[in-house]
Amino acid sequence: MNKLNLLTNKLLARQVKRAFGQNAELSDDLFKFLEMINQSYEHYERDRRLIERAMEVSSEELRNSHENLAKQNEELEMFVSRVSHDLKAPIRTINSFGQLISKELRKSDHDAKIVDYLSFITNGAQNMQLLIDDLLFHARLGLKLELKDEINLNELIETVNNNLGGLIKENNATIIVEPLPIVYGRSHEIMQLFQNLIGNAIKFKKKGIDPSVKISCNERESEYIISIEDNGIGIKGKDKDSIFRAFHRLNGVSEYEGTGLGLSICKKIIDNIRGRIWVESEFGEGTIFIFSFPKDSMTESNIKNSNVNINNQITSQADI
Amino acid sequence: MKIVQEIFTKESGWKSISQNASIDNPQLVLVFGNREIISQHQVYNELKNKYPTADIVISSTAGEIVNSGFVDNSIVATTIEFEHTQLKTCKVNINDFSNSYAAATQIVSTLCQKELNHVFIVADGQLINGSELVNGLNQFKDKEVLTTGGLAGDEYEFNKTLVGLNNIPSEGNIVAIGFYGNRLKVGFGSKGGWDSFGPERMITKSKGNVLYELDNQNALELYKKYLGEAAEELPSSALFFPLSIKAEGTEEPLVRTILSICEETKSMTFAGNMPQGTMAQLMKHNSDRLISGAEQAAENCMDENNELEPELAILISCVGRRIVLGQNIDEEIEVIRDQFGDKTIITGFYSYGEIAPFNNLSKCELHNQTMTITTLSEI
């Protein structure tokens, strides 16, 4: 009987036949050695089969859980839309009819108190509207996979400043914008980020001092660091970690307006682009919000390529 | 320290494997062997007659480790004479205690005396709850005494394991050796070399070391899906995929090996507790990583100067490693031999659980799938 047929591993059997010939007469020692190698081959083959199967099952599991997650997100998105529609409609009704009644009342000579009361109702309804908008924005962030846009931050800031025109004018604020880079992200989110932070910088001003906001960028090897610096009321040390939590307010609603969601939205937007956001502040000495845009493979060093000349600062004055 | 080694096989009886085999006043004989052979009266009596004054510590194994490498179906006896170290041994049986923690507490109170330097443990690998035992043994840690050791094995049978002290070994025993005096230098190292893969799952249903559900799905069914055809060889084939578990607040994950399965209750019994709420992840191996794990375990035994060549190294390696390394099993012993050099005497066994801390500062843990080494030298 041909000893070579005893080698169970087909690959090894073929290799040995090629090397020694089909009917080679192998010495006992050599054959013993070949049997050892045969066992090793079989051993590795067994391991390979087991691991290969495990990897297949595991990636199928991951695929399934990914599909489940996508489905859950879709359901959540639908739920959020429903809730938003159903909540917003009655508020709109309250708001509109409240305004109509105020108008009618003003025509006749009615008790001024009633007009005041009505304005509380309509203001409340308007705040609720804002809150729902913020909640929706917060809930939808990162729910769907969306494509990233190329965003020229210099252009984006111009739009933001236009949107905030009323607030800037009202407060006689100065916005200084240094040259900013082109980054990748979802532009409506990044717009919201800047709008919230610049809005805060103006809102939390010191009494009797016109707000001044400076936006600047520092380029590092793997990220852009953007700072938004103001001359406002500042933040106490103990509050610095908690300000990014939803519904966390440092100041009374009566003193400063807001939904309590603004910074938490900012944090979520930055988390979504895998950046970092933090705050540096001395109480009473102004605040700097700092966040990073990680550079990805598409990003090149582009501060200098942007449309803004480094010596030509854009200054948005109160006369926008 | 003087050490001699002998090996017993059914075919050739006792044979010395030490070159200058002479020992005058031995205090300790470490006996690791196949369950059937070590339970024979004659074998024990031969040892007792030869070393009447020494404490004889016996454990059944899933394979023995001796100077030259791996042996099976044998007994390896390592007889030691310490020059500057005193010993105290004790044995407790789980049947005399409400649980393994209480049994360990008894050991702690028996051995805790002035100058206690180190404790080495061998315990039944089937009836003792290793996690509870180790929790109990950590009472030594409060007194800055470290514990190392392992759980007895039973080839690939997972049937019953035997441990004994100065008697024929039997079930349910825990034997502890206390080493006293500061001239004994003890080193230890414990490493696995396994890699986690696939999704992390939460242990949603378990009791002690019996696991029922992961992520609300039956764990046994999950294993069968992963094993495919190899599911027919359960429980031993499950050793290819141990679980890594990490409880909140713990520093490092622990590896848990499957000891047995029960088709009736659709459950899997592991060699350590599987607490509910803990995250678990499957693990896979490749031989190279396992072997370099063993090498690292040996490196970790060295003192700060890397100078000490230990006189004795006790290797306790998991039965799971033996199964997956197959005929390459000698490799993991050889890399350790290369680390220590020729003068170190090596003994040990393949176990159902290894006991050692992660490092000098941490608590003692029950490990699976690791190579766990304890080295002893007198200065």
Side-chain angles (χ1 to χ4, degrees), chain B residues 46-109:
Chain B
E46 281 171 2
L47 274 174
K48 190 70 204 167
N49 289 336
K50 194 160 179 191
Y51 304 111
T53 57
D55 280 324
I56 302 178
V57 175
I58 306 172
S59 175
S60 65
T61 75
E64 295 81 59
I65 295 170
V66 70
N67 242 354
S68 45
F70 172 80
V71 278
D72 201 9
N73 286 318
S74 69
I75 299 175
V76 173
T78 307
T79 306
I80 309 152
E81 180 180 332
F82 292 94
E83 284 165 82
H84 311 289
T85 305
Q86 282 72 51
L87 300 190
K88 184 175 179 183
T89 52
C90 75
K91 181 187 87 177
V92 293
N93 191 289
I94 188 64
N95 292 327
D96 301 329
F97 296 89
S98 54
N99 55 43
S100 302
Y101 184 92
T105 306
Q106 173 68 49
I107 293 173
V108 175
S109 65

Side-chain angles (χ1 to χ4, degrees), chain B residues 84-150:
Chain B
H84 311 289
T85 305
Q86 282 72 51
L87 300 190
K88 184 175 179 183
T89 52
C90 75
K91 181 187 87 177
V92 293
N93 191 289
I94 188 64
N95 292 327
D96 301 329
F97 296 89
S98 54
N99 55 43
S100 302
Y101 184 92
T105 306
Q106 173 68 49
I107 293 173
V108 175
S109 65
T110 309
L111 293 189
C112 259
Q113 285 173 12
K114 227 175 118 191
E115 295 207 327
L116 178 60
N117 180 333
H118 188 81
V119 177
F120 187 81
I121 295 277
V122 278
D124 186 302
Q126 294 280 99
L127 301 179
I128 305 285
N129 181 319
S131 302
E132 281 178 14
L133 171 72
V134 163
N135 283 344
L137 292 172
N138 272 322
Q139 296 170 78
F140 279 123
K141 176 78 174 79
D142 302 335
K143 298 173 173 66
E144 295 184 355
V145 176
L146 293 178
T147 313
T148 56

Side-chain angles (χ1 to χ4, degrees), chain A residues 39-40 43 47 53 61, chain B residues 201 225-226 228 285 324 327:
Chain A
Q39 270 184 38
S40 275
H43 180 90
D47 282 5
R53 181 177 167 87
E61 280 189 317
Chain B
R201 301 159 218 261
K225 195 162 90 180
Y226 267 85
H285 79 283
V324 300
Q327 63 158 18

Side-chain angles (χ1 to χ4, degrees), chain A residues 208-224:
Chain A
I209 296 179
D210 287 345
S212 165
V213 185
K214 190 174 116 186
I215 304 158
S216 54
C217 174
N218 182 4
E219 181 174 0
R220 292 198 190 155
E221 198 179 331
S222 59
E223 58 189 3
Y224 293 110

Side-chain angles (χ1 to χ4, degrees), chain B residues 62 239 257 316-323 329 332 349-354 367-372:
Chain B
L239 290 172
T257 281
I316 298 188
S317 182
C318 183
V319 58
R321 298 172 74 89
R322 185 184 159 193
I323 289 181
I329 195 69
E332 76 163 0
F349 65 93
Y350 283 83
S351 73
Y352 285 2
E354 308 84 64
H367 304 276
N368 293 150
Q369 300 289 9
T370 63
M371 167 61 85
T372 294

Side-chain angles (χ1 to χ4, degrees), chain A residues 103-115:
Chain A
K103 218 167 157 188
E104 292 300 321
L105 285 176
R106 272 193 209 103
K107 281 183 199 164
S108 54
D109 192 21
H110 267 90
D111 189 351
K113 251 193 201 164
I114 298 179
V115 180

Side-chain angles (χ1 to χ4, degrees), chain A residues 11 27 30 92 94 109 126 129 245-246 297 303 305 309:
Chain A
L11 175 65
S27 72
L30 180 56
R92 221 172 11 246
I94 297 171
D109 192 21
Q126 275 160 18
Q129 183 105 33
R245 285 209 305 263
S297 50
I303 293 192
N305 300 338
N309 183 329

